[in-house]
Amino acid sequence: MKVLVIGGAGYIGGHVARLLSDRGYAVDVVDNLSTGSTRNLFPEYGFFRGDILDYPWLAGVVAKGSYGAIIHLAAAKAAGESMLVPEKYSTQNLCGTINILNAACEAGVERIVFSSSAAVYGEPRYLPIDESHPKEPENYYGFTKLEIERILAWYDRLKGIKFAALRYFNAAGYDPGLRVRGLEKKPANLIPVIMEVAVGIRKSLDVFGVDYPTPDGSGVRDYIHVSDLALGHLLALEYLEREKKSITVNLGSESGLSVLKILETARRVTHRPIPSVISPRRPGDPATLVASSALAKTVLGWEARHSSLETIIETTWAAYAAQESTPLA
Ligand code: WQD
């Protein structure tokens, strides 16, 4: 089957495209390279550089490809920014996805795997968070993801497009073989920020709050290795082919890790001091977020295999250390 990976030069998309190609799928990538990197692309992929907001162009690419499925990962994803510039998230995430769905309808593509997010849930009412947890996003980014899930359900009902919506928790780590290693530009997430401190791009890490009701006072999250996420996409594709019905699942490791624990592990693995400063809480941050991935296990047969803290930190450090020794021109 030939699959179109939209956002396939990005951090998660790059890992998804690599795994699909490894498993024998023909892969085409669409990416505008606004945040993605050509380092994540391989000669065996077809590559179309362009923007999903350019509908005539996108519809042309989708129509010509005879794709069995589309995997859509092209989105703006900074929750904080979405509260300041909602217009960007409306256009990129909502309009962009609607273009993809309409292009899929025109071309007769019947399956789509969509990158959703734990951000659809908002402040946790109970832990671990399962798929039936109330959906009350705390930021506009999470709202766009939830709206898209609803639009997908309507396109399923009205146009027969089957979808898998994958609600990622905190994506982290790099391909253990270090083939996909384009680093994110200006990251805001904890682990890449720690790595930027380790390599000297930043002076220190701000630890956003040590007064949370958690074992060590710092925020607890569910970090899921990007290779595990990639496998989730592959299994979701197989599910759509096999079952011919839509599905929405969490993808998380089901274990909570604190900011201080991650910092301590990063210092040990990197042998770098990684200075840190205790800072006030970041607005909108819940104390703890941990997934239940029981549904993905039962229905997709998915399991997190690379998501130990050690593997996440070691593979991320390998990517940053490689960049440190051979910087991009
Ligand atoms: C993790 C922990 C911070 C940076 C975000 C989005 C979410 C999803 C994943 C896409 C928290 C602490 C962080 C720093 C810190 N995105 N932290 N210093 O906020 O859990 O989730 O990315 O779907 O929608 O909101 O991830 O990596 O920013 O933070 O202390 O410089 O690290 O307070 O406890 P978050 P994160």
Side-chain angles (χ1 to χ4, degrees):
M1 192 207 292
K2 189 156 135 200
V3 179
L4 181 62
V5 183
I6 302 181
Y11 168 57
I12 301 175
H15 285 84
V16 170
R18 189 59 265 158
L19 180 69
L20 289 180
S21 182
D22 287 346
R23 297 289 180 94
Y25 286 86
V27 170
D28 279 358
V29 166
V30 157
D31 205 298
N32 65 5
L33 298 180
S34 65
T35 56
S37 166
T38 51
R39 277 199 162 192
N40 293 338
L41 298 173
F42 290 81
E44 60 268 33
Y45 306 169
F47 177 52
F48 302 95
R49 183 176 182 170
D51 206 301
I52 56 174
L53 296 173
D54 181 351
Y55 185 74
W57 175 81
L58 177 72
V61 170
V62 176
K64 283 188 208 110
S66 309
Y67 298 112
I70 293 174
I71 301 189
H72 168 34
L73 312 99
K77 67 174 180 77
E81 182 194 51
S82 76
M83 300 298 276
L84 303 170
V85 204
E87 311 90 300
K88 174 174 170 185
Y89 286 74
S90 302
T91 307
Q92 179 67 33
N93 296 6
L94 294 172
C95 301
T97 304
I98 290 167
N99 280 349
I100 290 169
L101 281 171
N102 289 348
C105 289
E106 257 190 72
V109 180
E110 290 172 341
R111 302 177 197 96
I112 180 157
V113 179
F114 169 64
S115 303
S116 189
S117 169
V120 301
Y121 297 116
E123 183 71 29
R125 303 277 185 83
Y126 58 83
L127 295 168
I129 298 172
D130 58 19
E131 290 78 1
S132 47
H133 184 285
K135 266 71 86 191
E136 289 165 10
E138 290 268 306
N139 50 63
Y140 190 67
Y141 163 75
F143 170 81
T144 64
K145 292 288 177 179
L146 186 57
E147 282 303 289
I148 294 164
E149 286 188 5
R150 290 176 173 150
I151 293 168
L152 285 167
W154 276 102
Y155 273 69
D156 176 352
R157 200 168 134 188
L158 303 176
K159 304 291 294 189
I161 293 185
K162 300 301 163 195
F163 69 87
L166 306 180
R167 294 179 181 153
Y168 313 152
F169 280 66
N170 290 55
Y174 276 81
D175 173 34
L178 214 57
R179 291 168 302 165
V180 183
R181 56 168 158 143
L183 301 180
E184 285 198 285
K185 298 159 196 159
K186 298 192 185 150
N189 293 117
L190 177 67
I191 295 176
V193 169
I194 288 178
M195 293 298 155
E196 288 202 351
V197 178
V199 298
I201 297 172
R202 300 181 195 226
K203 282 205 168 65
S204 65
L205 169 75
D206 286 320
V207 177
F208 296 143
V210 289
D211 57 350
Y212 283 106
T214 59
D216 65 19
S218 65
V220 168
R221 295 289 181 275
D222 180 322
Y223 295 87
I224 179 77
H225 195 283
V226 68
S227 298
D228 288 330
L229 285 181
L231 181 63
H233 293 73
L234 182 100
L235 296 173
L237 267 187
E238 291 176 358
Y239 175 90
L240 292 177
E241 254 189 288
R242 189 176 66 240
E243 304 290 335
K244 300 178 177 50
K245 58 183 185 198
S246 298
I247 186 174
T248 300
V249 293
N250 287 343
L251 294 180
S253 70
E254 304 192 307
S255 65
L257 295 171
S258 75
V259 174
L260 294 178
K261 176 78 184 159
I262 289 171
L263 178 59
E264 175 201 308
T265 308
R267 284 176 175 148
R268 181 164 44 75
V269 168
T270 63
H271 303 289
R272 304 279 170 105
I274 315 184
S276 65
V277 176
I278 304 299
S279 304
R281 291 182 181 192
R282 188 172 62 178
D285 270 359
T288 303
L289 284 178
V290 178
S292 162
S293 291
L295 188 63
K297 283 183 190 164
T298 330
V299 179
L300 301 182
W302 177 81
E303 218 159 331
R305 289 173 193 276
H306 300 278
S307 295
S308 72
L309 176 55
E310 302 292 322
T311 305
I312 284 175
I313 298 298
E314 282 167 11
T315 57
T316 312
W317 176 235
Y320 277 80
Q323 166 90 44
E324 197 179 34
S325 51
T326 50
L328 282 176

